[in-house]
Amino acid sequence: MQPLYDVIIVGGGPAGCATAIALHNLGVKNTLVIEASDYTAPRIGESIPPDSRQLLEKLGIWDAFTAQKHAPCLGSYSSWGSDQLGFNDYLFNPQGHGWHLNRASFDKFLALQLQKRGGALLKNTHFSSLIRDQHAYPIKVTLRNDAQLRCRFIVDASGRSAKVARQFDAKANIEDQLVAVSAYFDASNISSANSYRQMTLLEAVDYGWWYLAHLPNNQVIVTVATDPETIQQKQLKNSDHWQQALQLTQHIKPIINQAAPSRLHSWVAQSAIMDPPAAEHWLAVGDAASSFDPISSQGIYKALNNGIDAAAAITDWLNDDAQTLNQYRNSVASNFIQYLGHKAYFYNEEQRWPQSKFWQKRHQPPQ
């Protein structure tokens, strides 16, 4: 660690690492990524669409990614708008299939690709605060261990917490509250899971929806997503109540049967955009810039794409050209508006429970 950097990136997930790798590819090498974890804890978000290949190729890590042998995702089954399962596959996608990721392994892989390019990475290191002052490197960053660093530009890749953006008085505009509760199952104890090994399964219910995917580390993840008040009312953070709700599903229950889950993991999955997502000396990427409903399966794709676009904007800004930074800010906003339209269309496809508060909220036009 050195005291002065051109760019400091807070967060070493897909958005942060993609930004750092893209910066190195553009010749901005005096960068530091600060990551709070050691990449061993479970991370939610495990599917990427076929078009992700283009982003991995732009980053120059496609061949290394294929060597990781993540599980292919050939499409999805869904009980959405009907009790019957519908089918959507990637057969005619020119990019081929998507992937089910071992998420912790994927994030660690991105960090390793950064380090192989000579990028600096601090793991198990927590951002605390920052100030701006008159200095050639005007952003003074304080870490939780009281160490201090300076940079010319700082990137918020800290996820929905947006720890850096909030230091610049940016505020999240929340369009939709959603909470998800997930559990992992040992796939070797679920004989029927093999028929869904390369697919995802989505099942709408009157209070939200359930999701199942087979992961490459011989695990199956099962998730329920609904409003915060429903999580509380149904006590879905309690393992017994979560399993009781699972037993009432039509399509997921027969797959899981009586298999025992791991402990539950809950996470916020709201739709929101940071206002603003970028300004002088800083920008946000990934979920710190805008967060999507997980039903879109766009979270990791968006993170990688943000990182590539952000690197171009930062490089130009360091060379006294702020135009690309303005374009980045406008792009985050326009992509979020487009996402809201797609989200509204998708939720309006489900009309079986007109009295449900969950579905009534999502049938309203986006704000």
Side-chain angles (χ1 to χ4, degrees):
M1 188 170 67
Q2 61 189 49
L4 303 177
Y5 292 92
D6 287 327
V7 183
I8 289 177
I9 300 168
V10 178
C17 286
T19 304
I21 292 170
L23 281 169
H24 275 249
N25 292 344
L26 292 171
V28 181
K29 302 183 183 300
N30 185 24
T31 65
L32 172 68
V33 174
I34 299 170
E35 167 58 28
S37 76
D38 61 358
Y39 295 106
T40 58
R43 296 188 175 207
I44 300 296
E46 63 286 327
S47 296
I48 57 175
D51 291 352
S52 303
R53 173 174 179 166
Q54 294 176 321
L55 303 181
L56 297 169
E57 288 176 337
K58 284 183 180 179
L59 290 170
I61 61 175
W62 167 248
D63 290 339
F65 171 77
T66 58
Q68 295 289 301
K69 299 190 182 303
H70 291 281
C73 177
L74 304 183
S76 63
Y77 293 104
S78 61
S79 172
W80 195 275
S82 169
D83 290 340
Q84 302 302 312
L85 281 181
F87 176 64
N88 180 44
D89 65 37
Y90 294 136
L91 179 62
F92 298 108
N93 191 302
Q95 298 297 325
H97 58 72
W99 292 270
H100 285 151
L101 304 174
N102 178 333
R103 181 58 193 282
S105 175
F106 178 70
D107 286 13
K108 184 183 290 187
F109 157 77
L110 291 175
L112 180 61
Q113 293 304 306
L114 170 63
Q115 292 176 304
K116 285 184 175 180
R117 286 159 173 76
L121 171 68
L122 286 178
K123 294 185 288 187
N124 294 314
T125 303
H126 293 264
F127 167 84
S128 179
S129 62
L130 64 81
I131 60 171
R132 273 194 291 188
D133 57 18
Q134 296 298 317
H135 193 280
Y137 291 76
I139 308 296
K140 182 164 73 172
V141 176
T142 300
L143 305 180
R144 197 176 292 178
N145 61 6
D146 293 328
Q148 293 188 335
L149 310 167
R150 283 187 174 271
C151 61
R152 297 170 61 194
F153 198 97
I154 189 165
V155 176
D156 190 340
S158 65
R160 286 179 166 88
S161 63
K163 297 176 182 178
V164 173
R166 297 180 195 280
Q167 297 272 316
F168 290 97
D169 296 323
K171 299 185 183 301
N173 288 333
I174 300 173
E175 192 274 338
D176 179 18
Q177 297 277 12
L178 193 74
V179 175
V181 183
S182 303
Y184 295 90
F185 294 81
D186 185 347
S188 61
N189 295 329
I190 308 172
S191 58
S192 58
N194 288 329
S195 59
Y196 294 89
R197 181 176 292 273
Q198 296 180 333
M199 306 292 293
T200 60
L201 175 59
L202 181 65
E203 179 176 348
V205 292
D206 61 337
Y207 55 87
W209 48 266
W210 287 79
Y211 166 89
L212 177 148
H214 199 301
L215 304 183
N217 51 348
N218 204 35
Q219 286 188 318
V220 171
I221 184 172
V222 177
T223 298
V224 60
T226 185
D227 291 322
E229 55 269 27
T230 304
I231 294 286
Q232 184 174 5
Q233 291 167 1
K234 290 182 173 291
Q235 301 182 51
L236 291 174
K237 291 185 180 180
N238 175 280
S239 182
D240 290 338
H241 289 275
W242 186 91
Q243 290 190 72
Q244 288 171 12
L246 172 63
Q247 292 300 310
L248 297 177
T249 59
Q250 179 181 352
H251 299 286
I252 293 181
K253 173 195 170 183
I255 300 172
I256 297 303
N257 203 0
Q258 299 298 321
S262 67
R263 69 181 182 89
L264 300 181
H265 303 268
S266 64
W267 43 291
V268 175
Q270 65 194 20
S271 299
I273 185 169
M274 189 58 61
D275 181 20
E280 188 177 10
H281 293 293
W282 73 274
L283 61 72
V285 293
D287 284 348
S290 64
S291 53
F292 290 3
D293 189 309
I295 209 166
S296 70
S297 296
Q298 292 291 310
I300 299 174
Y301 178 92
K302 174 174 62 67
L304 299 175
N305 196 45
N306 277 175
I308 294 170
D309 291 345
I314 295 166
T315 301
D316 286 348
W317 191 91
L318 293 173
N319 291 318
D320 299 319
D321 180 0
Q323 182 176 354
T324 314
L325 185 63
N326 292 331
Q327 292 172 353
Y328 175 81
R329 181 169 58 238
N330 293 335
S331 176
V332 170
S334 63
N335 288 340
F336 187 73
I337 292 170
Q338 184 180 48
Y339 150 74
L340 290 181
H342 291 161
K343 171 176 169 283
Y345 171 82
F346 193 72
Y347 273 106
N348 272 285
E349 289 292 292
E350 177 55 83
Q351 296 286 339
R352 284 179 288 172
W353 300 285
Q355 303 305 315
S356 163
K357 291 183 179 180
F358 177 89
W359 295 102
Q360 286 176 355
K361 288 180 184 178
R362 286 154 183 85
H363 292 162
Q364 297 174 2
Q367 300 298 313

